[in-house]
Amino acid sequence: MTVILDGKKLRDKIFADLKSKLDKMPVKPTLAVVLVGDDPASQIYVNNKKKTAESLGINSVVIKYPSNISENELLSKVKELNSDKNITAILVQLPLPEHIDKFKIIDAISPEKDVDGLTPYNSGKLFTGEKPYVYPCTPKGILLLLDEYGIEVEGKHVVVIGRSNLVGKPVAQMLLNRNATVTVCHSKTKNLADITKTADILISAVGKNVVGEKYIKNNCVVVDVGIFRDNEGKIRGDVEFENVSKLASYISPVPGGVGPMTIASLMLNTVELAEGTKALRQ
Ligand code: NAP
């Protein structure tokens, strides 16, 4: 029987634990979120982050700028947040307007306040197999979900579709650090189905409907990271859930799979930065 990887259930469990931990913390962590421009999706994400943080007892500050803010002004703000002792975690909501070099902005965040784990320091630590301050939220959420269901990755062939700095590359590296054999595919990959059909675990992070039943072998573990709206405005993942779930041993739904785990990881990271702990097994 196919098991659903229930991200909502695990998120709620993580939140309950975090809440009782936060209730006992004499000084609460403070998450600063910087939002540039008026992209509606980014505004929703930022509001959700703020609401969720506050519901758990984490302080949160949202700093909003118009899309025409200069790169230097934004850099100055990041530096100010770095040296502000009341701020324990910093997140710059992506995407940024085109005139701003996102790498320059991310590079400027103090690694010990880098709640997304995206600075060169933290991603460098991840890639050398050392401990970063925190792991990037979505990859961390995926591994927490696999751990929760007792899915061992050592020695397994994991195929990751997508190679972004946010999801594909870090999740591939985290799995490699746990002794999986990892293949990373992308838009230029030829004969994608021939590769994905060899996967014991398939992680798809594309944002398009790419994974049908011909893409997986029997009993594969399928993790769907993608989120997009179809022509009817319905939220969809990369995977054709109906057909693929008949073959998979475990599968994450969209919504309700990786999405809730990303926000859970963000909250975990915020607390971990404030107290120097780690929820994820190394
Ligand atoms: P991204 O930066 O756009 O990366 C997409 C990746 O997919 C790229 O590496 C691209 O290849 C590859 N790709 C595109 N078309 C392909 C195809 N036909 N076959 C194989 N690979 C293809 O996106 P992202 O930030 O990684 O996010 C990916 C998806 O996950 C999006 O839907 C996003 O909304 C979702 N997401 C969800 C969560 C969550 O919490 N659930 C969190 C983050 C992201 P190239 O590199 O060659 O262009």
Side-chain angles (χ1 to χ4, degrees):
M1 210 187 61
T2 309
V3 176
I4 303 293
L5 297 168
D6 189 340
K8 275 195 200 161
K9 196 164 138 197
L10 180 54
R11 172 202 62 191
D12 290 347
K13 198 160 124 187
I14 290 170
F15 281 179
D17 291 349
L18 273 181
K19 202 164 181 328
S20 56
K21 184 182 251 188
L22 280 152
D23 285 345
K24 292 182 205 111
M25 280 172 88
V27 182
K28 312 293 180 216
T30 299
L31 168 66
V33 181
V34 180
L35 173 63
V36 180
D38 45 22
D39 174 53
S42 292
Q43 290 192 1
I44 293 171
Y45 294 146
V46 168
N47 285 341
N48 282 344
K49 287 168 187 171
K50 183 174 167 59
K51 253 177 41 193
T52 306
E54 287 169 355
S55 74
L56 298 174
I58 294 170
N59 299 319
S60 92
V61 188
V62 176
I63 302 132
K64 290 186 183 174
Y65 287 110
S67 56
N68 63 358
I69 186 181
S70 72
E71 192 174 273
N72 277 340
E73 253 181 288
L74 193 56
L75 272 177
S76 304
K77 186 68 199 179
V78 170
K79 287 176 188 160
E80 187 191 311
L81 293 169
N82 284 342
S83 50
D84 183 339
K85 292 203 166 43
N86 295 316
I87 303 291
T88 54
I90 302 170
L91 184 156
V92 176
Q93 184 66 40
L94 300 174
L96 289 170
E98 271 183 14
H99 68 279
I100 296 175
D101 180 346
K102 71 171 176 188
F103 292 114
K104 251 194 195 169
I105 304 298
I106 291 169
D107 292 7
I109 300 171
S110 265
E112 61 269 29
K113 294 191 181 185
D114 167 27
V115 73
D116 265 337
L118 295 177
T119 57
Y121 178 92
N122 282 320
S123 48
K125 289 278 184 189
L126 169 58
F127 278 74
T128 54
E130 298 170 81
K131 289 183 188 171
Y133 282 99
V134 290
Y135 294 96
C137 297
T138 301
K140 171 174 176 155
I142 294 168
L143 264 69
L144 286 170
L145 198 54
L146 295 176
D147 287 349
E148 175 70 9
Y149 285 83
I151 298 164
E152 190 46 70
V153 302
E154 181 164 313
K156 302 272 175 65
H157 182 209
V158 185
V159 175
V160 178
I161 319 178
R163 56 173 163 178
S164 69
N165 290 332
L166 204 61
V167 187
K169 281 185 211 160
V171 81
Q173 189 60 45
M174 287 169 81
L175 290 158
L176 189 59
N177 292 353
R178 283 200 184 179
N179 299 324
T181 302
V182 184
T183 304
V184 181
C185 303
H186 45 78
S187 67
K188 307 290 186 290
T189 298
K190 295 199 167 76
N191 307 321
L192 182 61
D194 289 346
I195 299 166
T196 58
K197 262 193 298 200
T198 66
D200 302 310
I201 301 174
L202 177 65
I203 299 176
S204 185
V206 175
K208 286 179 204 163
N209 186 338
V210 282
V211 180
E213 61 191 316
K214 297 205 173 103
Y215 283 68
I216 68 157
K217 71 174 179 190
N218 258 334
N219 291 324
C220 180
V221 175
V222 181
V223 178
D224 191 351
V225 185
I227 310 175
F228 64 98
R229 284 189 188 276
D230 67 14
N231 294 337
E232 289 148 23
K234 207 173 145 218
I235 300 263
R236 300 290 301 268
D238 294 353
V239 176
E240 286 171 13
F241 187 86
E242 282 298 316
N243 302 331
V244 171
S245 59
K246 287 178 193 143
L247 297 172
S249 52
Y250 296 82
I251 186 166
S252 73
V254 176
V258 175
M261 290 309 300
T262 298
I263 185 95
S265 298
L266 176 65
M267 298 302 130
L268 278 170
N269 281 357
T270 305
V271 174
E272 287 172 21
L273 289 180
E275 61 168 14
T277 57
K278 281 196 192 347
L280 189 64
R281 168 165 76 80
Q282 303 296 315

